[in-house]
Amino acid sequence: MKKNEKAVITIIGQDHPGILAGAATQVAEVNGNVLSVSQAVMEGIFTMTMIIDIAGMTVPLDSLEEKVAAAVPDMKVKVMHENIFNAMHTI
Amino acid sequence: MLNIQDIIETVQMIQEENLDIRTITMGISLIDCADSDVDQSCRKVYDKITRRAEHLVATGETLEKKYGIPIVNKRISVTPISILAGVSGGDPVKYAKALDRAAAATGVNFIGGFSALVHRGFSAGDRELIEAIPEALAETEIVCSSVNVGSTKTGINMDAVRLMGEKVRKAAELTQDRQCIGDAKLVVFCNAVEDNPFMAGAFHGIGNADCCLSAGVSGPGVVRAVLADMPDDAPLDQVAEEIKKTAFKITRVGQLVGREAADLLGVPFGIVDLSLAPTPAIGDSVAHILEEIGLEKTGAHGTTCALAMLNDAVKKGGLMASSSVGGLSGAFIPVTEDEGMISAARAGTLSIEKLEAMTAVCSVGLDMIVIPGDTTAEVISAIIADEAAIGMINSKTTAVRVIPAIGLKEGEELDFGGLLGSGPVMKVRPQSPAKMIHRGGRIPAPIQSLKN
């Protein structure tokens, strides 16, 4: 991965303890660096987005997605390069 | 700076609303493969395609993983083969087989370009290629064929129209033990475009560079979901505005992925085709957008108007999102590939006549329509002639991809499976147009052609 590249992890599902910790542990294990986290729980539904620096990451994004998904079962997990969000939402 | 709502919106589009890149298509010129010996020419064709497209599928898969968005198809389009057949002579089916082998070797889903452009007349290789189409489609798996029979500039080649009616019928007969699949891979165009990345009508026009990469986006489900969130009494100008904004977002993804794929492959970026392309999957239907706009069922009176607005708004939104828009760019209405269209056809609200009217205001034509197995070649030619006339007069691309379901009658069902879907056999008028079709000749270019 190149310098300053970022990816976005989103986790959506039923709230329960340990979701953020589970995801963050997986990111750390592959040498990703968490830059910011925002989360909300509305009517029991947990929504989290985590922006991570992937410049030094040791595995590709799809492998990280599998790891995080395994760490927080029953949650919808998606890991995507930030470019897709920038392309869609900025002019 | 990214905000959480934008992120969730994008993820939702992909996870819940079937947003995908429908295709990345590599256009490859085969002009330098032409040889006076047909077997030598076929070898060069195979070598060039497998060399140029060697990494196409792997590149697509890399980008799917990076952006978390499916790229449903990886495809190749090539120079119209009639040009090579004109140089080499010999049996054009050999070219189709070479294309099929090359496509299989690269792992792509389809290869298009078993094509001829005969809108003013036939040159060397054209008639031979057209004659070979049914056999070529029956003996290959993923080769697609198209023939351009008319244009606004030249009028309509009615000899070609007559021939194509016969070939459509023959292609169905030769593949009748496989759901007449030959005709799902055959398109007859008026005003064909040189840079269409969508099948079955893709070919790499001779005005293009040696090799380029284009992308076709999709996303009817996303547009429908946005409209479903609007109040029922929102005026239509607001509806159009929302469609425009959504089309912008969808197209930006196509532009991002297409350009990056081109860079990774080391070829120039071609175009983004802005089309809303449905699939038979639940929630991926253009018909359901029309119904969300406010029709009880697609095919009802008002359908043409709703589609015209949709098509126009998609273009306006997409145009700003991409530096290079091309292809067909609009809304596709293939009947068997669209859950809502299939349902409307089964219910009898959607007729061929209504579909014909719809093709005057959207991007292509009578697409993936199953017609009775006993439909004559002349009637098929007349269907082609009607569509070509709409395209010629309105300066737009129109096309016909109909499937005479050999052995089936009106109301029975033909099921292709996969992206091609299934659909009921639709009613056609049995009255004979034979006298007109057998006159042959040419419909002169219309007054619209004199723009200089």
Side-chain angles (χ1 to χ4, degrees), chain A residues 10 47 61-62 76 78 80-81 86-90, chain B residues 2 6-10 16 65-68 252:
Chain A
T10 54
T47 306
L61 294 179
D62 59 320
K76 280 189 183 170
K78 197 94 180 142
M80 298 155 75
H81 195 282
N86 292 332
M88 251 193 185
H89 299 287
T90 55
Chain B
L2 297 170
D6 289 346
I7 291 172
I8 299 295
E9 183 188 356
T10 300
E16 315 289 334
K65 288 171 186 163
K66 180 172 178 182
Y67 293 117
R252 290 284 277 211

mmCIF file with all atom_site columns, all heavy atoms in Angstrom, chain A residues 10 47 61-62 76 78 80-81 86-90, chain B residues 2 6-10 16 65-68 252:
data_model
loop_
_atom_site.group_PDB
_atom_site.id
_atom_site.type_symbol
_atom_site.label_atom_id
_atom_site.label_alt_id
_atom_site.label_comp_id
_atom_site.label_asym_id
_atom_site.label_entity_id
_atom_site.label_seq_id
_atom_site.pdbx_PDB_ins_code
_atom_site.Cartn_x
_atom_site.Cartn_y
_atom_site.Cartn_z
_atom_site.occupancy
_atom_site.B_iso_or_equiv
_atom_site.pdbx_formal_charge
_atom_site.auth_seq_id
_atom_site.auth_comp_id
_atom_site.auth_asym_id
_atom_site.auth_atom_id
_atom_site.pdbx_PDB_model_num
ATOM 1   N N   . THR A 1 10  ? -16.800 -0.444  8.018   1.00 0.00 ? 10  THR A N   1
ATOM 2   C CA  . THR A 1 10  ? -18.135 -0.192  8.577   1.00 0.00 ? 10  THR A CA  1
ATOM 3   C C   . THR A 1 10  ? -18.659 -1.472  9.198   1.00 0.00 ? 10  THR A C   1
ATOM 4   O O   . THR A 1 10  ? -18.501 -2.564  8.634   1.00 0.00 ? 10  THR A O   1
ATOM 5   C CB  . THR A 1 10  ? -19.137 0.285   7.514   1.00 0.00 ? 10  THR A CB  1
ATOM 6   O OG1 . THR A 1 10  ? -19.146 -0.658  6.457   1.00 0.00 ? 10  THR A OG1 1
ATOM 7   C CG2 . THR A 1 10  ? -18.784 1.637   6.965   1.00 0.00 ? 10  THR A CG2 1
ATOM 8   N N   . THR A 1 47  ? -24.019 1.081   14.708  1.00 0.00 ? 47  THR A N   1
ATOM 9   C CA  . THR A 1 47  ? -23.412 1.497   13.441  1.00 0.00 ? 47  THR A CA  1
ATOM 10  C C   . THR A 1 47  ? -22.060 2.129   13.743  1.00 0.00 ? 47  THR A C   1
ATOM 11  O O   . THR A 1 47  ? -21.989 3.064   14.537  1.00 0.00 ? 47  THR A O   1
ATOM 12  C CB  . THR A 1 47  ? -24.282 2.558   12.731  1.00 0.00 ? 47  THR A CB  1
ATOM 13  O OG1 . THR A 1 47  ? -25.586 2.038   12.595  1.00 0.00 ? 47  THR A OG1 1
ATOM 14  C CG2 . THR A 1 47  ? -23.734 2.885   11.366  1.00 0.00 ? 47  THR A CG2 1
ATOM 15  N N   . LEU A 1 61  ? -7.105  -5.604  1.635   1.00 0.00 ? 61  LEU A N   1
ATOM 16  C CA  . LEU A 1 61  ? -8.322  -5.180  2.327   1.00 0.00 ? 61  LEU A CA  1
ATOM 17  C C   . LEU A 1 61  ? -9.334  -6.313  2.508   1.00 0.00 ? 61  LEU A C   1
ATOM 18  O O   . LEU A 1 61  ? -10.020 -6.386  3.525   1.00 0.00 ? 61  LEU A O   1
ATOM 19  C CB  . LEU A 1 61  ? -8.971  -4.015  1.573   1.00 0.00 ? 61  LEU A CB  1
ATOM 20  C CG  . LEU A 1 61  ? -8.157  -2.718  1.547   1.00 0.00 ? 61  LEU A CG  1
ATOM 21  C CD1 . LEU A 1 61  ? -8.886  -1.645  0.744   1.00 0.00 ? 61  LEU A CD1 1
ATOM 22  C CD2 . LEU A 1 61  ? -7.875  -2.211  2.950   1.00 0.00 ? 61  LEU A CD2 1
ATOM 23  N N   . ASP A 1 62  ? -9.434  -7.192  1.514   1.00 0.00 ? 62  ASP A N   1
ATOM 24  C CA  . ASP A 1 62  ? -10.441 -8.252  1.649   1.00 0.00 ? 62  ASP A CA  1
ATOM 25  C C   . ASP A 1 62  ? -10.077 -9.233  2.762   1.00 0.00 ? 62  ASP A C   1
ATOM 26  O O   . ASP A 1 62  ? -10.955 -9.783  3.425   1.00 0.00 ? 62  ASP A O   1
ATOM 27  C CB  . ASP A 1 62  ? -10.688 -8.974  0.320   1.00 0.00 ? 62  ASP A CB  1
ATOM 28  C CG  . ASP A 1 62  ? -9.440  -9.616  -0.233  1.00 0.00 ? 62  ASP A CG  1
ATOM 29  O OD1 . ASP A 1 62  ? -8.363  -8.997  -0.141  1.00 0.00 ? 62  ASP A OD1 1
ATOM 30  O OD2 . ASP A 1 62  ? -9.532  -10.737 -0.761  1.00 0.00 ? 62  ASP A OD2 1
ATOM 31  N N   . LYS A 1 76  ? -22.712 -7.007  10.052  1.00 0.00 ? 76  LYS A N   1
ATOM 32  C CA  . LYS A 1 76  ? -22.355 -6.776  8.647   1.00 0.00 ? 76  LYS A CA  1
ATOM 33  C C   . LYS A 1 76  ? -21.089 -5.935  8.611   1.00 0.00 ? 76  LYS A C   1
ATOM 34  O O   . LYS A 1 76  ? -21.071 -4.799  9.077   1.00 0.00 ? 76  LYS A O   1
ATOM 35  C CB  . LYS A 1 76  ? -23.475 -6.032  7.939   1.00 0.00 ? 76  LYS A CB  1
ATOM 36  C CG  . LYS A 1 76  ? -24.621 -6.924  7.531   1.00 0.00 ? 76  LYS A CG  1
ATOM 37  C CD  . LYS A 1 76  ? -25.582 -6.164  6.637   1.00 0.00 ? 76  LYS A CD  1
ATOM 38  C CE  . LYS A 1 76  ? -26.772 -7.032  6.282   1.00 0.00 ? 76  LYS A CE  1
ATOM 39  N NZ  . LYS A 1 76  ? -27.815 -6.250  5.609   1.00 0.00 ? 76  LYS A NZ  1
ATOM 40  N N   . LYS A 1 78  ? -17.822 -4.335  6.357   1.00 0.00 ? 78  LYS A N   1
ATOM 41  C CA  . LYS A 1 78  ? -17.363 -3.988  5.011   1.00 0.00 ? 78  LYS A CA  1
ATOM 42  C C   . LYS A 1 78  ? -16.070 -3.184  5.160   1.00 0.00 ? 78  LYS A C   1
ATOM 43  O O   . LYS A 1 78  ? -15.989 -2.277  5.993   1.00 0.00 ? 78  LYS A O   1
ATOM 44  C CB  . LYS A 1 78  ? -18.455 -3.134  4.356   1.00 0.00 ? 78  LYS A CB  1
ATOM 45  C CG  . LYS A 1 78  ? -18.355 -3.014  2.870   1.00 0.00 ? 78  LYS A CG  1
ATOM 46  C CD  . LYS A 1 78  ? -19.185 -4.052  2.144   1.00 0.00 ? 78  LYS A CD  1
ATOM 47  C CE  . LYS A 1 78  ? -19.017 -3.860  0.648   1.00 0.00 ? 78  LYS A CE  1
ATOM 48  N NZ  . LYS A 1 78  ? -18.962 -5.097  -0.102  1.00 0.00 ? 78  LYS A NZ  1
ATOM 49  N N   . MET A 1 80  ? -13.528 -0.976  2.780   1.00 0.00 ? 80  MET A N   1
ATOM 50  C CA  . MET A 1 80  ? -13.384 -0.417  1.433   1.00 0.00 ? 80  MET A CA  1
ATOM 51  C C   . MET A 1 80  ? -12.353 0.712   1.428   1.00 0.00 ? 80  MET A C   1
ATOM 52  O O   . MET A 1 80  ? -12.265 1.480   2.380   1.00 0.00 ? 80  MET A O   1
ATOM 53  C CB  . MET A 1 80  ? -14.734 0.150   0.961   1.00 0.00 ? 80  MET A CB  1
ATOM 54  C CG  . MET A 1 80  ? -15.816 -0.915  0.853   1.00 0.00 ? 80  MET A CG  1
ATOM 55  S SD  . MET A 1 80  ? -17.477 -0.234  1.027   1.00 0.00 ? 80  MET A SD  1
ATOM 56  C CE  . MET A 1 80  ? -17.681 0.541   -0.554  1.00 0.00 ? 80  MET A CE  1
ATOM 57  N N   . HIS A 1 81  ? -11.642 0.810   0.322   1.00 0.00 ? 81  HIS A N   1
ATOM 58  C CA  . HIS A 1 81  ? -10.680 1.910   0.164   1.00 0.00 ? 81  HIS A CA  1
ATOM 59  C C   . HIS A 1 81  ? -11.433 3.241   0.170   1.00 0.00 ? 81  HIS A C   1
ATOM 60  O O   . HIS A 1 81  ? -12.522 3.344   -0.380  1.00 0.00 ? 81  HIS A O   1
ATOM 61  C CB  . HIS A 1 81  ? -9.934  1.727   -1.158  1.00 0.00 ? 81  HIS A CB  1
ATOM 62  C CG  . HIS A 1 81  ? -8.701  2.561   -1.265  1.00 0.00 ? 81  HIS A CG  1
ATOM 63  N ND1 . HIS A 1 81  ? -8.752  3.895   -1.554  1.00 0.00 ? 81  HIS A ND1 1
ATOM 64  C CD2 . HIS A 1 81  ? -7.390  2.253   -1.089  1.00 0.00 ? 81  HIS A CD2 1
ATOM 65  C CE1 . HIS A 1 81  ? -7.504  4.370   -1.580  1.00 0.00 ? 81  HIS A CE1 1
ATOM 66  N NE2 . HIS A 1 81  ? -6.667  3.388   -1.298  1.00 0.00 ? 81  HIS A NE2 1
ATOM 67  N N   . ASN A 1 86  ? -14.824 9.194   -1.459  1.00 0.00 ? 86  ASN A N   1
ATOM 68  C CA  . ASN A 1 86  ? -14.466 10.528  -1.959  1.00 0.00 ? 86  ASN A CA  1
ATOM 69  C C   . ASN A 1 86  ? -15.042 10.755  -3.352  1.00 0.00 ? 86  ASN A C   1
ATOM 70  O O   . ASN A 1 86  ? -15.554 11.821  -3.665  1.00 0.00 ? 86  ASN A O   1
ATOM 71  C CB  . ASN A 1 86  ? -12.940 10.678  -2.001  1.00 0.00 ? 86  ASN A CB  1
ATOM 72  C CG  . ASN A 1 86  ? -12.341 10.701  -0.612  1.00 0.00 ? 86  ASN A CG  1
ATOM 73  O OD1 . ASN A 1 86  ? -13.008 11.124  0.338   1.00 0.00 ? 86  ASN A OD1 1
ATOM 74  N ND2 . ASN A 1 86  ? -11.115 10.237  -0.478  1.00 0.00 ? 86  ASN A ND2 1
ATOM 75  N N   . ALA A 1 87  ? -14.964 9.731   -4.198  1.00 0.00 ? 87  ALA A N   1
ATOM 76  C CA  . ALA A 1 87  ? -15.471 9.872   -5.564  1.00 0.00 ? 87  ALA A CA  1
ATOM 77  C C   . ALA A 1 87  ? -16.972 10.140  -5.551  1.00 0.00 ? 87  ALA A C   1
ATOM 78  O O   . ALA A 1 87  ? -17.475 10.996  -6.273  1.00 0.00 ? 87  ALA A O   1
ATOM 79  C CB  . ALA A 1 87  ? -15.170 8.604   -6.364  1.00 0.00 ? 87  ALA A CB  1
ATOM 80  N N   . MET A 1 88  ? -17.676 9.412   -4.718  1.00 0.00 ? 88  MET A N   1
ATOM 81  C CA  . MET A 1 88  ? -19.137 9.508   -4.712  1.00 0.00 ? 88  MET A CA  1
ATOM 82  C C   . MET A 1 88  ? -19.664 10.784  -4.072  1.00 0.00 ? 88  MET A C   1
ATOM 83  O O   . MET A 1 88  ? -20.674 11.319  -4.501  1.00 0.00 ? 88  MET A O   1
ATOM 84  C CB  . MET A 1 88  ? -19.684 8.345   -3.895  1.00 0.00 ? 88  MET A CB  1
ATOM 85  C CG  . MET A 1 88  ? -20.359 7.310   -4.728  1.00 0.00 ? 88  MET A CG  1
ATOM 86  S SD  . MET A 1 88  ? -21.270 6.242   -3.610  1.00 0.00 ? 88  MET A SD  1
ATOM 87  C CE  . MET A 1 88  ? -21.839 5.053   -4.759  1.00 0.00 ? 88  MET A CE  1
ATOM 88  N N   . HIS A 1 89  ? -18.987 11.247  -3.030  1.00 0.00 ? 89  HIS A N   1
ATOM 89  C CA  . HIS A 1 89  ? -19.605 12.286  -2.207  1.00 0.00 ? 89  HIS A CA  1
ATOM 90  C C   . HIS A 1 89  ? -18.925 13.644  -2.276  1.00 0.00 ? 89  HIS A C   1
ATOM 91  O O   . HIS A 1 89  ? -19.304 14.556  -1.569  1.00 0.00 ? 89  HIS A O   1
ATOM 92  C CB  . HIS A 1 89  ? -19.699 11.807  -0.754  1.00 0.00 ? 89  HIS A CB  1
ATOM 93  C CG  . HIS A 1 89  ? -20.537 10.565  -0.623  1.00 0.00 ? 89  HIS A CG  1
ATOM 94  N ND1 . HIS A 1 89  ? -21.910 10.583  -0.744  1.00 0.00 ? 89  HIS A ND1 1
ATOM 95  C CD2 . HIS A 1 89  ? -20.191 9.269   -0.448  1.00 0.00 ? 89  HIS A CD2 1
ATOM 96  C CE1 . HIS A 1 89  ? -22.372 9.345   -0.610  1.00 0.00 ? 89  HIS A CE1 1
ATOM 97  N NE2 . HIS A 1 89  ? -21.346 8.522   -0.443  1.00 0.00 ? 89  HIS A NE2 1
ATOM 98  N N   . THR A 1 90  ? -17.891 13.788  -3.093  1.00 0.00 ? 90  THR A N   1
ATOM 99  C CA  . THR A 1 90  ? -17.314 15.116  -3.276  1.00 0.00 ? 90  THR A CA  1
ATOM 100 C C   . THR A 1 90  ? -17.286 15.430  -4.766  1.00 0.00 ? 90  THR A C   1
ATOM 101 O O   . THR A 1 90  ? -17.197 14.535  -5.603  1.00 0.00 ? 90  THR A O   1
ATOM 102 C CB  . THR A 1 90  ? -15.867 15.194  -2.733  1.00 0.00 ? 90  THR A CB  1
ATOM 103 O OG1 . THR A 1 90  ? -15.097 14.162  -3.351  1.00 0.00 ? 90  THR A OG1 1
ATOM 104 C CG2 . THR A 1 90  ? -15.823 15.025  -1.237  1.00 0.00 ? 90  THR A CG2 1
ATOM 105 N N   . LEU B 2 2   ? -14.637 12.645  5.269   1.00 0.00 ? 2   LEU B N   1
ATOM 106 C CA  . LEU B 2 2   ? -15.780 11.743  5.112   1.00 0.00 ? 2   LEU B CA  1
ATOM 107 C C   . LEU B 2 2   ? -16.719 11.885  6.307   1.00 0.00 ? 2   LEU B C   1
ATOM 108 O O   . LEU B 2 2   ? -16.268 12.010  7.435   1.00 0.00 ? 2   LEU B O   1
ATOM 109 C CB  . LEU B 2 2   ? -15.276 10.303  5.060   1.00 0.00 ? 2   LEU B CB  1
ATOM 110 C CG  . LEU B 2 2   ? -14.374 9.966   3.881   1.00 0.00 ? 2   LEU B CG  1
ATOM 111 C CD1 . LEU B 2 2   ? -13.741 8.600   4.079   1.00 0.00 ? 2   LEU B CD1 1
ATOM 112 C CD2 . LEU B 2 2   ? -15.155 10.010  2.591   1.00 0.00 ? 2   LEU B CD2 1
ATOM 113 N N   . ASP B 2 6   ? -22.569 9.678   4.694   1.00 0.00 ? 6   ASP B N   1
ATOM 114 C CA  . ASP B 2 6   ? -22.123 9.370   3.329   1.00 0.00 ? 6   ASP B CA  1
ATOM 115 C C   . ASP B 2 6   ? -21.576 7.946   3.245   1.00 0.00 ? 6   ASP B C   1
ATOM 116 O O   . ASP B 2 6   ? -21.835 7.208   2.286   1.00 0.00 ? 6   ASP B O   1
ATOM 117 C CB  . ASP B 2 6   ? -21.031 10.356  2.898   1.00 0.00 ? 6   ASP B CB  1
ATOM 118 C CG  . ASP B 2 6   ? -21.586 11.761  2.660   1.00 0.00 ? 6   ASP B CG  1
ATOM 119 O OD1 . ASP B 2 6   ? -22.826 11.878  2.564   1.00 0.00 ? 6   ASP B OD1 1
ATOM 120 O OD2 . ASP B 2 6   ? -20.791 12.708  2.578   1.00 0.00 ? 6   ASP B OD2 1
ATOM 121 N N   . ILE B 2 7   ? -20.808 7.579   4.271   1.00 0.00 ? 7   ILE B N   1
ATOM 122 C CA  . ILE B 2 7   ? -20.210 6.240   4.270   1.00 0.00 ? 7   ILE B CA  1
ATOM 123 C C   . ILE B 2 7   ? -21.297 5.172   4.319   1.00 0.00 ? 7   ILE B C   1
ATOM 124 O O   . ILE B 2 7   ? -21.302 4.232   3.517   1.00 0.00 ? 7   ILE B O   1
ATOM 125 C CB  . ILE B 2 7   ? -19.245 6.083   5.469   1.00 0.00 ? 7   ILE B CB  1
ATOM 126 C CG1 . ILE B 2 7   ? -18.008 6.968   5.251   1.00 0.00 ? 7   ILE B CG1 1
ATOM 127 C CG2 . ILE B 2 7   ? -18.828 4.628   5.654   1.00 0.00 ? 7   ILE B CG2 1
ATOM 128 C CD1 . ILE B 2 7   ? -17.080 7.048   6.444   1.00 0.00 ? 7   ILE B CD1 1
ATOM 129 N N   . ILE B 2 8   ? -22.242 5.373   5.242   1.00 0.00 ? 8   ILE B N   1
ATOM 130 C CA  . ILE B 2 8   ? -23.314 4.374   5.374   1.00 0.00 ? 8   ILE B CA  1
ATOM 131 C C   . ILE B 2 8   ? -24.148 4.307   4.090   1.00 0.00 ? 8   ILE B C   1
ATOM 132 O O   . ILE B 2 8   ? -24.546 3.232   3.635   1.00 0.00 ? 8   ILE B O   1
ATOM 133 C CB  . ILE B 2 8   ? -24.222 4.708   6.596   1.00 0.00 ? 8   ILE B CB  1
ATOM 134 C CG1 . ILE B 2 8   ? -23.395 4.672   7.889   1.00 0.00 ? 8   ILE B CG1 1
ATOM 135 C CG2 . ILE B 2 8   ? -25.414 3.764   6.678   1.00 0.00 ? 8   ILE B CG2 1
ATOM 136 C CD1 . ILE B 2 8   ? -22.827 3.325   8.274   1.00 0.00 ? 8   ILE B CD1 1
ATOM 137 N N   . GLU B 2 9   ? -24.375 5.467   3.463   1.00 0.00 ? 9   GLU B N   1
ATOM 138 C CA  . GLU B 2 9   ? -25.155 5.487   2.218   1.00 0.00 ? 9   GLU B CA  1
ATOM 139 C C   . GLU B 2 9   ? -24.482 4.625   1.147   1.00 0.00 ? 9   GLU B C   1
ATOM 140 O O   . GLU B 2 9   ? -25.123 3.809   0.481   1.00 0.00 ? 9   GLU B O   1
ATOM 141 C CB  . GLU B 2 9   ? -25.297 6.928   1.718   1.00 0.00 ? 9   GLU B CB  1
ATOM 142 C CG  . GLU B 2 9   ? -26.160 7.019   0.456   1.00 0.00 ? 9   GLU B CG  1
ATOM 143 C CD  . GLU B 2 9   ? -26.168 8.404   -0.183  1.00 0.00 ? 9   GLU B CD  1
ATOM 144 O OE1 . GLU B 2 9   ? -25.567 9.351   0.362   1.00 0.00 ? 9   GLU B OE1 1
ATOM 145 O OE2 . GLU B 2 9   ? -26.787 8.518   -1.251  1.00 0.00 ? 9   GLU B OE2 1
ATOM 146 N N   . THR B 2 10  ? -23.176 4.799   0.995   1.00 0.00 ? 10  THR B N   1
ATOM 147 C CA  . THR B 2 10  ? -22.445 4.032   -0.022  1.00 0.00 ? 10  THR B CA  1
ATOM 148 C C   . THR B 2 10  ? -22.488 2.529   0.281   1.00 0.00 ? 10  THR B C   1
ATOM 149 O O   . THR B 2 10  ? -22.737 1.708   -0.609  1.00 0.00 ? 10  THR B O   1
ATOM 150 C CB  . THR B 2 10  ? -20.974 4.503   -0.073  1.00 0.00 ? 10  THR B CB  1
ATOM 151 O OG1 . THR B 2 10  ? -20.966 5.882   -0.409  1.00 0.00 ? 10  THR B OG1 1
ATOM 152 C CG2 . THR B 2 10  ? -20.178 3.726   -1.099  1.00 0.00 ? 10  THR B CG2 1
ATOM 153 N N   . GLU B 2 16  ? -27.314 -3.482  0.060   1.00 0.00 ? 16  GLU B N   1
ATOM 154 C CA  . GLU B 2 16  ? -28.767 -3.701  0.044   1.00 0.00 ? 16  GLU B CA  1
ATOM 155 C C   . GLU B 2 16  ? -29.400 -3.419  -1.314  1.00 0.00 ? 16  GLU B C   1
ATOM 156 O O   . GLU B 2 16  ? -30.462 -3.930  -1.617  1.00 0.00 ? 16  GLU B O   1
ATOM 157 C CB  . GLU B 2 16  ? -29.465 -2.792  1.079   1.00 0.00 ? 16  GLU B CB  1
ATOM 158 C CG  . GLU B 2 16  ? -28.814 -2.735  2.451   1.00 0.00 ? 16  GLU B CG  1
ATOM 159 C CD  . GLU B 2 16  ? -28.977 -4.033  3.229   1.00 0.00 ? 16  GLU B CD  1
ATOM 160 O OE1 . GLU B 2 16  ? -29.945 -4.745  2.966   1.00 0.00 ? 16  GLU B OE1 1
ATOM 161 O OE2 . GLU B 2 16  ? -28.099 -4.329  4.076   1.00 0.00 ? 16  GLU B OE2 1
ATOM 162 N N   . LYS B 2 65  ? -11.865 -6.219  -4.702  1.00 0.00 ? 65  LYS B N   1
ATOM 163 C CA  . LYS B 2 65  ? -11.446 -6.372  -3.303  1.00 0.00 ? 65  LYS B CA  1
ATOM 164 C C   . LYS B 2 65  ? -11.101 -5.026  -2.692  1.00 0.00 ? 65  LYS B C   1
ATOM 165 O O   . LYS B 2 65  ? -11.417 -4.761  -1.542  1.00 0.00 ? 65  LYS B O   1
ATOM 166 C CB  . LYS B 2 65  ? -10.232 -7.314  -3.228  1.00 0.00 ? 65  LYS B CB  1
ATOM 167 C CG  . LYS B 2 65  ? -10.612 -8.754  -3.508  1.00 0.00 ? 65  LYS B CG  1
ATOM 168 C CD  . LYS B 2 65  ? -9.392  -9.626  -3.656  1.00 0.00 ? 65  LYS B CD  1
ATOM 169 C CE  . LYS B 2 65  ? -9.776  -11.039 -4.081  1.00 0.00 ? 65  LYS B CE  1
ATOM 170 N NZ  . LYS B 2 65  ? -8.618  -11.764 -4.612  1.00 0.00 ? 65  LYS B NZ  1
ATOM 171 N N   . LYS B 2 66  ? -10.450 -4.184  -3.454  1.00 0.00 ? 66  LYS B N   1
ATOM 172 C CA  . LYS B 2 66  ? -10.028 -2.890  -2.913  1.00 0.00 ? 66  LYS B CA  1
ATOM 173 C C   . LYS B 2 66  ? -11.231 -2.021  -2.551  1.00 0.00 ? 66  LYS B C   1
ATOM 174 O O   . LYS B 2 66  ? -11.257 -1.395  -1.501  1.00 0.00 ? 66  LYS B O   1
ATOM 175 C CB  . LYS B 2 66  ? -9.153  -2.180  -3.955  1.00 0.00 ? 66  LYS B CB  1
ATOM 176 C CG  . LYS B 2 66  ? -8.665  -0.814  -3.500  1.00 0.00 ? 66  LYS B CG  1
ATOM 177 C CD  . LYS B 2 66  ? -7.650  -0.268  -4.492  1.00 0.00 ? 66  LYS B CD  1
ATOM 178 C CE  . LYS B 2 66  ? -7.181  1.125   -4.077  1.00 0.00 ? 66  LYS B CE  1
ATOM 179 N NZ  . LYS B 2 66  ? -6.245  1.694   -5.050  1.00 0.00 ? 66  LYS B NZ  1
ATOM 180 N N   . TYR B 2 67  ? -12.214 -1.983  -3.445  1.00 0.00 ? 67  TYR B N   1
ATOM 181 C CA  . TYR B 2 67  ? -13.341 -1.075  -3.223  1.00 0.00 ? 67  TYR B CA  1
ATOM 182 C C   . TYR B 2 67  ? -14.588 -1.765  -2.668  1.00 0.00 ? 67  TYR B C   1
ATOM 183 O O   . TYR B 2 67  ? -15.592 -1.113  -2.404  1.00 0.00 ? 67  TYR B O   1
ATOM 184 C CB  . TYR B 2 67  ? -13.674 -0.330  -4.518  1.00 0.00 ? 67  TYR B CB  1
ATOM 185 C CG  . TYR B 2 67  ? -12.566 0.605   -4.919  1.00 0.00 ? 67  TYR B CG  1
ATOM 186 C CD1 . TYR B 2 67  ? -11.857 0.434   -6.092  1.00 0.00 ? 67  TYR B CD1 1
ATOM 187 C CD2 . TYR B 2 67  ? -12.200 1.650   -4.064  1.00 0.00 ? 67  TYR B CD2 1
ATOM 188 C CE1 . TYR B 2 67  ? -10.814 1.279   -6.427  1.00 0.00 ? 67  TYR B CE1 1
ATOM 189 C CE2 . TYR B 2 67  ? -11.168 2.489   -4.392  1.00 0.00 ? 67  TYR B CE2 1
ATOM 190 C CZ  . TYR B 2 67  ? -10.476 2.311   -5.567  1.00 0.00 ? 67  TYR B CZ  1
ATOM 191 O OH  . TYR B 2 67  ? -9.446  3.144   -5.884  1.00 0.00 ? 67  TYR B OH  1
ATOM 192 N N   . GLY B 2 68  ? -14.524 -3.065  -2.526  1.00 0.00 ? 68  GLY B N   1
ATOM 193 C CA  . GLY B 2 68  ? -15.669 -3.776  -1.972  1.00 0.00 ? 68  GLY B CA  1
ATOM 194 C C   . GLY B 2 68  ? -16.906 -3.687  -2.834  1.00 0.00 ? 68  GLY B C   1
ATOM 195 O O   . GLY B 2 68  ? -18.032 -3.747  -2.342  1.00 0.00 ? 68  GLY B O   1
ATOM 196 N N   . ARG B 2 252 ? -19.766 8.186   -10.710 1.00 0.00 ? 252 ARG B N   1
ATOM 197 C CA  . ARG B 2 252 ? -18.442 8.442   -10.137 1.00 0.00 ? 252 ARG B CA  1
ATOM 198 C C   . ARG B 2 252 ? -17.729 7.135   -9.795  1.00 0.00 ? 252 ARG B C   1
ATOM 199 O O   . ARG B 2 252 ? -16.516 7.030   -9.930  1.00 0.00 ? 252 ARG B O   1
ATOM 200 C CB  . ARG B 2 252 ? -18.567 9.306   -8.887  1.00 0.00 ? 252 ARG B CB  1
ATOM 201 C CG  . ARG B 2 252 ? -18.967 10.712  -9.205  1.00 0.00 ? 252 ARG B CG  1
ATOM 202 C CD  . ARG B 2 252 ? -17.832 11.499  -9.751  1.00 0.00 ? 252 ARG B CD  1
ATOM 203 N NE  . ARG B 2 252 ? -17.014 11.997  -8.693  1.00 0.00 ? 252 ARG B NE  1
ATOM 204 C CZ  . ARG B 2 252 ? -16.344 13.134  -8.746  1.00 0.00 ? 252 ARG B CZ  1
ATOM 205 N NH1 . ARG B 2 252 ? -16.400 13.871  -9.836  1.00 0.00 ? 252 ARG B NH1 1
ATOM 206 N NH2 . ARG B 2 252 ? -15.615 13.520  -7.735  1.00 0.00 ? 252 ARG B NH2 1
#
